[in-house]
Amino acid sequence: MREEVCLFLIQSVVDLEEDLIVVFQNGDPILINKAFKKFFVVSSVEEYKNEFGSFVNSFVPHPSYFHAEKITKSENWFDAISKLPEIERVVSMMTPNYEPHAFSVNVEKIDEYVIGVFTNITQTLIKRIMIENNTSIDKQSGAYSKNYFLHMLTSYQDAVVFNKKTVSAILIKTEKTEENNLVELVNYFKSKIRQDDMLIRWSNGSFLLISLVDTQVNAKKMVEKLYRDDCTFSLITQKENESIKELIKRVEG
């Protein structure tokens, strides 16, 4: 009875966390939190075990991440991963819709119990990889590349919600597409915008300026600030409950 009360209390606490959390007893999962259930689309730890079997089956066997093949026969996965440097304690797990995510792993052992905490670092890794590969910047113009922005949409959406702002998208078109003209345009626009605004090379003859704004009035003021005779400007502001992906579709439509 006392153990059931303890598990109930633990369940109540871990359900408040955004990280995926699993409690093991003698290597067997006995408790998972709401975030874990949502990721794997299961309603209970029993359903998870029936659907996925051994816990390490959920680790994608990718050479860049920790997985079953990196565990010796005499080890549990949590002992094996604990021996690695912190930067290497990363696993890849996939949703039922086959969407891969990367997680940093922290494990805590208490007698026969182990608490596993999985923090989603997918967006952080994407950003780091793209910067390392120099794919964050469009080489012709010096603005951000379109691919980089599209990969960072989730993180940007999180920033919008956290700051309680809306997104302003200004589509800027020019007929001067020679490299020296593009560089001059980008330098001009960068001198007018804020550090946290994103100027993106959207197509051969267009740029997209993404900003967080408080009001439509402030968005219009930005257009006035950027104005040049050799460019055309179209302002598209995020509607209530509209995602950035939906906003982008309107920009491209």
Side-chain angles (χ1 to χ4, degrees):
M1 186 69 178
R2 184 180 177 184
E3 184 176 339
E4 289 179 2
V5 172
C6 288
L7 285 174
F8 176 78
L9 291 173
I10 294 170
Q11 184 77 66
S12 300
V13 172
V14 299
D15 280 344
L16 298 174
E17 298 296 324
E18 294 183 0
D19 295 336
L20 277 56
I21 299 177
V22 190
V23 178
F24 301 84
Q25 184 178 24
N26 297 320
D28 185 45
I30 60 170
L31 184 148
I32 55 179
N33 71 338
K34 281 185 179 179
F36 191 96
K37 293 173 185 176
K38 183 179 179 180
F39 183 85
F40 286 101
V41 193
V42 295
S43 59
S44 66
V45 68
E46 288 76 18
E47 183 181 355
Y48 169 77
K49 288 191 283 189
N50 288 335
E51 290 286 332
F52 296 93
S54 176
F55 187 75
V56 294
N57 291 346
S58 296
F59 300 162
V60 176
H62 189 284
S64 297
Y65 305 106
F66 176 86
H67 56 86
E69 293 179 10
K70 298 186 178 183
I71 306 169
T72 64
K73 291 183 180 180
S74 61
E75 283 184 310
N76 291 310
W77 74 268
F78 41 82
D79 289 326
I81 201 169
S82 295
K83 294 177 181 177
L84 298 175
E86 186 175 348
I87 196 171
E88 296 179 23
R89 296 175 198 164
V90 179
V91 299
S92 176
M93 297 192 289
M94 201 172 290
T95 69
N97 291 326
Y98 303 103
E99 299 172 350
H101 292 257
F103 296 86
S104 64
V105 183
N106 184 38
V107 294
E108 187 72 32
K109 295 182 69 174
I110 307 170
D111 296 328
E112 76 266 30
Y113 297 97
V114 171
I115 302 171
V117 181
F118 300 82
T119 303
N120 197 324
I121 58 170
T122 307
Q123 291 296 313
T124 303
L125 279 183
I126 289 171
K127 184 175 182 179
R128 190 180 76 193
I129 290 168
M130 296 195 77
I131 290 175
E132 287 175 353
N133 292 338
N134 202 27
T135 53
S136 61
I137 301 298
D138 172 66
K139 292 180 180 178
Q140 271 194 315
S141 66
Y144 284 112
S145 71
K146 184 176 181 179
N147 282 340
Y148 175 71
F149 174 70
L150 294 177
H151 275 91
M152 292 303 297
L153 270 184
T154 301
S155 294
Y156 208 88
Q157 182 70 60
D158 290 344
V160 173
V161 174
F162 180 79
N163 289 286
K164 297 180 180 179
K165 298 285 183 75
T166 57
V167 176
S168 162
I170 303 173
L171 185 63
I172 307 166
K173 293 185 178 181
T174 180
E175 293 183 359
K176 296 183 177 181
T177 56
E178 293 82 5
E179 186 169 338
N180 61 324
N181 289 325
L182 294 175
V183 171
E184 189 274 326
L185 275 177
V186 168
N187 288 337
Y188 169 79
F189 291 136
K190 282 184 176 180
S191 71
K192 302 290 183 179
I193 64 178
R194 301 166 302 181
Q195 189 173 1
D196 55 353
D197 294 334
M198 289 193 72
L199 181 66
I200 304 141
R201 176 81 180 280
W202 204 247
S203 69
N204 186 46
S206 71
F207 294 90
L208 189 67
L209 178 64
I210 298 291
S211 304
L212 301 185
V213 295
D214 297 304
T215 64
Q216 179 83 4
V217 172
N218 287 336
K220 290 179 179 178
K221 284 182 179 178
M222 179 61 78
V223 175
E224 295 170 2
K225 191 176 181 181
L226 296 173
Y227 182 77
R228 286 173 58 122
D229 290 333
D230 55 355
C231 296
T232 60
F233 300 83
S234 302
L235 173 64
I236 305 96
T237 306
Q238 192 176 27
K239 299 177 181 177
E240 187 174 357
N241 298 322
E242 182 181 39
S243 70
I244 299 180
K245 284 185 179 180
E246 292 168 333
L247 173 66
I248 295 303
K249 287 181 181 178
R250 286 203 291 127
V251 169
E252 295 189 316

